[in-house]
Amino acid sequence: MLGTAPLLATSGHAAHDNTLTVGIASDPVTLDPALMSSYFEISVQFNIHEPLLHMTPDFRIEPGLADWTSPDALTYHLTLRPGLTFHDGTPVDAAAAKFNFDRMLNPATGSPRRLELAPVVAVDVTGPLTFTIRLSKPYVPLLQVLALRAGMLVSPHAVQALGADFASKAVGAGPYRVVRWTKNSELVLERFDAYWRGPAPVGRIVFQPVVDETARITNLRAGTFQLVDGVPPQMQGLIGRDPALTLKQMPGLGFNAFSFNMTRPPFSDIRLRRAMIASFDPDTALHAVYFGTGAAAYGAIPPSQSWAYDPDFKPYRYDHVLAKSLVRESGAATPVDLTITVTNTPSQVRIAEILQAQANLVGFNAVIRQIDPTSLITVLRQRDFDIAISPWSGRSDPDGNMFGWFTKDGPFNFSGYVNDEVTGLLEAARAEPDQTGRAKLYRAAQTQIAADAPMLFVVFPATIQASSASLAWNQFPDGAFQLQFARYR
């Protein structure tokens, strides 16, 4: 890992030679957008894959590979830009778009996009560059979904030719093409000259995973990296005082939370889930780990989704007396043994230590299990945990933060949570055209979820990233790097 490599002793900054080296918290799990479901793919995805539509940092939807019209709530006509190609030279046309949607919707693919596209009943090719998406019911978030992974088209020819290798050699239509990916070492991308916006200003991007957050900043200050994600909040002052560096921060879209495994003891008992929540003080984590950045979380709707966010929603209280009482009421033999699973990133370990210390005061015997970040999604999917960190980069609409997490077949329902009332509220919110009405539905769902306690929410983290001052780049609230907009000054 680069974090253990020799570093320059000073804060010198290396010549870039039209290469941008990016320090990221962890390797992606896959490069196939149809299969992406890990938090750690967010850094790389937009550089390889271009969505049909584009979302600006202030959540406006613009044309991307395609433009759209919608004559009614069930019909969306899309028209692709002429002359588009994938990285392998094959055409980005309506037939390719239909192939992608059919692939994502096919149960055999196992794509998390299937739930995001659930209301889609048909994708009809209507011309060489035109196709129509037909819905079974109104689906208000569709345009935002098409600006994310579900709108990222890949080459049908490459999917068929590469088979299982497509996940590591993905061929998209984004600003950069994959040159090579050495797992847990580096992902090398080169500029795609046929990109529809024109060739990106930076010719070569190298992503290098470094789990240790301090090591990422040390590499940035040494000039080994020119851009990093996951800046530790406690290092903002150090970076801000360095004239050779640029620090950027904005409210994020996601949350950091823990999923309870509700399918087995101890957390199949709601009293023990509630006891664990009551034992935990989110303000302690906010200050000790996040140094006052971000906001304490009590649900899945962050302050950045201002029209749906309720600043007065605080259904939990930090109360050790209540927590001890709930443990006694459960009838479980004490102390209640449990394992807290987190990745070996320093911030997650610190949160786990706070959770462990506070839980052990009320009748639990918690131990911490650290795993590699790329293993997290497998552990969560297999429910190989008692309580496990479940970070989420977030989406611009509450649907993206809730539907996949709190419906029975949701791809991120790691808890095994089932509540028909919540599912009904979230289904209704998907179809409700009035924003005020949608907000009421999401708030009602959030209230019931809090009562059922499938997750322990910690914080809505701010998006904090840093770069060499010589690099101009756009920050996005979900933390994604879209480096077609980056250039050296």
Short mmCIF file of all heavy atoms in Angstrom, two decimals, residues 123-148:
data_model
loop_
_atom_site.label_atom_id
_atom_site.label_comp_id
_atom_site.label_asym_id
_atom_site.label_seq_id
_atom_site.Cartn_x
_atom_site.Cartn_y
_atom_site.Cartn_z
N VAL A 123 -38.79 -0.96 -22.31
CA VAL A 123 -37.94 0.02 -22.99
C VAL A 123 -38.04 -0.30 -24.47
O VAL A 123 -37.58 -1.37 -24.91
CB VAL A 123 -36.49 -0.03 -22.49
CG1 VAL A 123 -35.62 0.94 -23.29
CG2 VAL A 123 -36.41 0.29 -21.00
N ASP A 124 -38.64 0.60 -25.22
CA ASP A 124 -38.92 0.36 -26.63
C ASP A 124 -38.01 1.20 -27.50
O ASP A 124 -37.92 2.43 -27.33
CB ASP A 124 -40.38 0.71 -26.95
CG ASP A 124 -41.36 -0.10 -26.12
OD1 ASP A 124 -41.09 -1.28 -25.88
OD2 ASP A 124 -42.41 0.47 -25.73
N VAL A 125 -37.33 0.56 -28.45
CA VAL A 125 -36.53 1.29 -29.43
C VAL A 125 -37.46 1.88 -30.47
O VAL A 125 -38.25 1.15 -31.09
CB VAL A 125 -35.50 0.35 -30.10
CG1 VAL A 125 -34.78 1.06 -31.23
CG2 VAL A 125 -34.51 -0.17 -29.06
N THR A 126 -37.39 3.17 -30.65
CA THR A 126 -38.29 3.86 -31.59
C THR A 126 -37.54 4.45 -32.78
O THR A 126 -38.16 5.00 -33.69
CB THR A 126 -39.06 4.96 -30.87
OG1 THR A 126 -38.15 5.87 -30.25
CG2 THR A 126 -39.99 4.37 -29.81
N GLY A 127 -36.24 4.35 -32.78
CA GLY A 127 -35.40 4.85 -33.86
C GLY A 127 -33.95 4.55 -33.55
O GLY A 127 -33.63 4.06 -32.46
N PRO A 128 -33.04 4.84 -34.47
CA PRO A 128 -31.63 4.54 -34.22
C PRO A 128 -31.09 5.17 -32.93
O PRO A 128 -30.27 4.57 -32.24
CB PRO A 128 -30.93 5.10 -35.46
CG PRO A 128 -31.98 5.08 -36.53
CD PRO A 128 -33.27 5.37 -35.83
N LEU A 129 -31.58 6.38 -32.61
CA LEU A 129 -31.08 7.09 -31.44
C LEU A 129 -32.19 7.43 -30.45
O LEU A 129 -31.96 8.18 -29.50
CB LEU A 129 -30.37 8.38 -31.86
CG LEU A 129 -29.13 8.22 -32.74
CD1 LEU A 129 -28.57 9.60 -33.11
CD2 LEU A 129 -28.05 7.40 -32.03
N THR A 130 -33.36 6.87 -30.64
CA THR A 130 -34.49 7.21 -29.76
C THR A 130 -35.08 5.96 -29.13
O THR A 130 -35.19 4.90 -29.76
CB THR A 130 -35.59 7.96 -30.52
OG1 THR A 130 -36.05 7.14 -31.61
CG2 THR A 130 -35.08 9.28 -31.07
N PHE A 131 -35.46 6.09 -27.87
CA PHE A 131 -36.14 4.99 -27.19
C PHE A 131 -37.08 5.57 -26.15
O PHE A 131 -36.96 6.73 -25.73
CB PHE A 131 -35.13 4.02 -26.56
CG PHE A 131 -34.23 4.61 -25.51
CD1 PHE A 131 -34.52 4.49 -24.16
CD2 PHE A 131 -33.07 5.30 -25.87
CE1 PHE A 131 -33.68 5.02 -23.19
CE2 PHE A 131 -32.22 5.83 -24.91
CZ PHE A 131 -32.54 5.69 -23.56
N THR A 132 -38.03 4.75 -25.74
CA THR A 132 -39.06 5.17 -24.79
C THR A 132 -39.05 4.25 -23.57
O THR A 132 -39.03 3.03 -23.71
CB THR A 132 -40.44 5.14 -25.45
OG1 THR A 132 -40.46 6.10 -26.51
CG2 THR A 132 -41.54 5.49 -24.44
N ILE A 133 -39.05 4.86 -22.41
CA ILE A 133 -39.16 4.12 -21.14
C ILE A 133 -40.61 4.23 -20.69
O ILE A 133 -41.14 5.34 -20.52
CB ILE A 133 -38.22 4.70 -20.06
CG1 ILE A 133 -36.75 4.58 -20.51
CG2 ILE A 133 -38.43 3.99 -18.73
CD1 ILE A 133 -35.77 5.23 -19.57
N ARG A 134 -41.24 3.08 -20.49
CA ARG A 134 -42.64 3.04 -20.06
C ARG A 134 -42.72 2.51 -18.63
O ARG A 134 -42.07 1.53 -18.29
CB ARG A 134 -43.47 2.18 -21.01
CG ARG A 134 -43.39 2.64 -22.46
CD ARG A 134 -44.41 1.97 -23.35
NE ARG A 134 -44.18 2.32 -24.74
CZ ARG A 134 -44.56 3.46 -25.29
NH1 ARG A 134 -45.22 4.36 -24.56
NH2 ARG A 134 -44.31 3.72 -26.56
N LEU A 135 -43.52 3.17 -17.82
CA LEU A 135 -43.64 2.83 -16.41
C LEU A 135 -45.00 2.22 -16.11
O LEU A 135 -46.00 2.54 -16.77
CB LEU A 135 -43.46 4.08 -15.54
CG LEU A 135 -42.18 4.91 -15.75
CD1 LEU A 135 -42.20 6.12 -14.82
CD2 LEU A 135 -40.95 4.06 -15.50
N SER A 136 -45.04 1.39 -15.09
CA SER A 136 -46.31 0.82 -14.65
C SER A 136 -47.07 1.78 -13.75
O SER A 136 -48.30 1.67 -13.60
CB SER A 136 -46.04 -0.48 -13.87
OG SER A 136 -45.22 -0.23 -12.74
N LYS A 137 -46.37 2.72 -13.14
CA LYS A 137 -46.97 3.71 -12.25
C LYS A 137 -46.03 4.90 -12.18
O LYS A 137 -44.83 4.78 -12.49
CB LYS A 137 -47.20 3.12 -10.86
CG LYS A 137 -45.99 2.47 -10.24
CD LYS A 137 -46.36 1.70 -8.99
CE LYS A 137 -45.18 0.88 -8.47
NZ LYS A 137 -45.55 0.06 -7.31
N PRO A 138 -46.54 6.05 -11.79
CA PRO A 138 -45.66 7.23 -11.71
C PRO A 138 -44.47 6.96 -10.79
O PRO A 138 -44.60 6.33 -9.74
CB PRO A 138 -46.58 8.32 -11.14
CG PRO A 138 -47.95 7.89 -11.53
CD PRO A 138 -47.94 6.38 -11.47
N TYR A 139 -43.33 7.48 -11.21
CA TYR A 139 -42.08 7.26 -10.47
C TYR A 139 -41.28 8.56 -10.50
O TYR A 139 -40.49 8.80 -11.40
CB TYR A 139 -41.31 6.11 -11.12
CG TYR A 139 -40.01 5.73 -10.44
CD1 TYR A 139 -39.88 5.72 -9.06
CD2 TYR A 139 -38.91 5.34 -11.21
CE1 TYR A 139 -38.69 5.36 -8.45
CE2 TYR A 139 -37.72 4.95 -10.62
CZ TYR A 139 -37.62 4.98 -9.24
OH TYR A 139 -36.44 4.61 -8.64
N VAL A 140 -41.53 9.40 -9.51
CA VAL A 140 -40.97 10.75 -9.49
C VAL A 140 -39.44 10.77 -9.54
O VAL A 140 -38.85 11.63 -10.20
CB VAL A 140 -41.51 11.52 -8.27
CG1 VAL A 140 -40.86 12.88 -8.15
CG2 VAL A 140 -43.03 11.65 -8.35
N PRO A 141 -38.73 9.85 -8.88
CA PRO A 141 -37.26 9.92 -8.89
C PRO A 141 -36.58 9.46 -10.17
O PRO A 141 -35.35 9.44 -10.24
CB PRO A 141 -36.85 9.00 -7.73
CG PRO A 141 -38.07 8.76 -6.93
CD PRO A 141 -39.20 8.86 -7.91
N LEU A 142 -37.33 9.08 -11.21
CA LEU A 142 -36.71 8.43 -12.37
C LEU A 142 -35.58 9.24 -12.98
O LEU A 142 -34.50 8.71 -13.27
CB LEU A 142 -37.75 8.13 -13.45
CG LEU A 142 -37.17 7.47 -14.72
CD1 LEU A 142 -36.61 6.08 -14.39
CD2 LEU A 142 -38.21 7.37 -15.82
N LEU A 143 -35.77 10.55 -13.19
CA LEU A 143 -34.73 11.34 -13.84
C LEU A 143 -33.44 11.34 -13.01
O LEU A 143 -32.34 11.27 -13.56
CB LEU A 143 -35.21 12.76 -14.09
CG LEU A 143 -36.38 12.90 -15.08
CD1 LEU A 143 -36.76 14.37 -15.24
CD2 LEU A 143 -36.02 12.30 -16.44
N GLN A 144 -33.58 11.41 -11.70
CA GLN A 144 -32.39 11.38 -10.86
C GLN A 144 -31.73 10.01 -10.90
O GLN A 144 -30.50 9.91 -10.88
CB GLN A 144 -32.76 11.79 -9.43
CG GLN A 144 -33.25 13.23 -9.36
CD GLN A 144 -33.57 13.68 -7.95
OE1 GLN A 144 -33.54 12.88 -7.03
NE2 GLN A 144 -33.90 14.95 -7.82
N VAL A 145 -32.53 8.96 -10.97
CA VAL A 145 -31.98 7.60 -11.10
C VAL A 145 -31.19 7.47 -12.39
O VAL A 145 -30.11 6.85 -12.42
CB VAL A 145 -33.12 6.57 -11.04
CG1 VAL A 145 -32.65 5.19 -11.51
CG2 VAL A 145 -33.68 6.47 -9.62
N LEU A 146 -31.68 8.08 -13.47
CA LEU A 146 -30.99 7.99 -14.76
C LEU A 146 -29.74 8.85 -14.82
O LEU A 146 -28.96 8.76 -15.77
CB LEU A 146 -31.94 8.39 -15.90
CG LEU A 146 -33.16 7.48 -16.09
CD1 LEU A 146 -34.00 7.96 -17.26
CD2 LEU A 146 -32.73 6.03 -16.29
N ALA A 147 -29.54 9.69 -13.81
CA ALA A 147 -28.31 10.48 -13.71
C ALA A 147 -27.26 9.79 -12.85
O ALA A 147 -26.18 10.34 -12.65
CB ALA A 147 -28.63 11.86 -13.14
N LEU A 148 -27.58 8.57 -12.39
CA LEU A 148 -26.65 7.82 -11.54
C LEU A 148 -26.37 6.46 -12.20
O LEU A 148 -26.39 6.34 -13.42
CB LEU A 148 -27.26 7.69 -10.15
CG LEU A 148 -27.45 9.03 -9.42
CD1 LEU A 148 -28.29 8.85 -8.17
CD2 LEU A 148 -26.11 9.67 -9.08
#
